[in-house]
Amino acid sequence: MTGRYTKCPKCQLNYITQSMTCCTLCASPSKDDNLYDEVIVCPFCFKNTMGVDDIMCVQCSMKRNKCDC
């Protein structure tokens, strides 16, 4: 094997050759990176978007709070 090995500059865990910029794990796209790229539609109104951890959109939540009075 030719070339000197160094630690990956991103994770500092895996070793890479001098011709590589980062290890294969750091170079591959992560599943967590795509989590926030997806658009989630509200299951109540089917019009508005909502966050990953939300149950319903803001508009439906405001309508529900107004009716619960």
Side-chain angles (χ1 to χ4, degrees), residues 29-56:
S30 176
K31 290 181 181 177
D32 293 336
D33 294 342
N34 297 330
L35 182 64
Y36 298 103
D37 293 343
E38 296 179 17
V39 176
I40 301 173
V41 179
C42 177
F44 295 97
C45 66
F46 300 105
K47 292 187 287 185
N48 302 315
T49 58
M50 57 185 229
V52 176
D53 295 330
D54 294 337
I55 297 172
M56 64 181 73

Side-chain angles (χ1 to χ4, degrees), residues 3-59:
R4 186 172 158 241
Y5 289 96
T6 58
K7 284 193 175 186
C8 174
K10 290 186 179 180
C11 66
Q12 293 293 318
L13 296 172
N14 299 316
Y15 286 93
I16 59 172
T17 60
Q18 288 180 337
S19 63
M20 299 170 67
T21 56
C22 60
C23 68
T24 55
L25 292 176
C26 291
S28 67
S30 176
K31 290 181 181 177
D32 293 336
D33 294 342
N34 297 330
L35 182 64
Y36 298 103
D37 293 343
E38 296 179 17
V39 176
I40 301 173
V41 179
C42 177
F44 295 97
C45 66
F46 300 105
K47 292 187 287 185
N48 302 315
T49 58
M50 57 185 229
V52 176
D53 295 330
D54 294 337
I55 297 172
M56 64 181 73
C57 67
V58 175
Q59 289 81 8

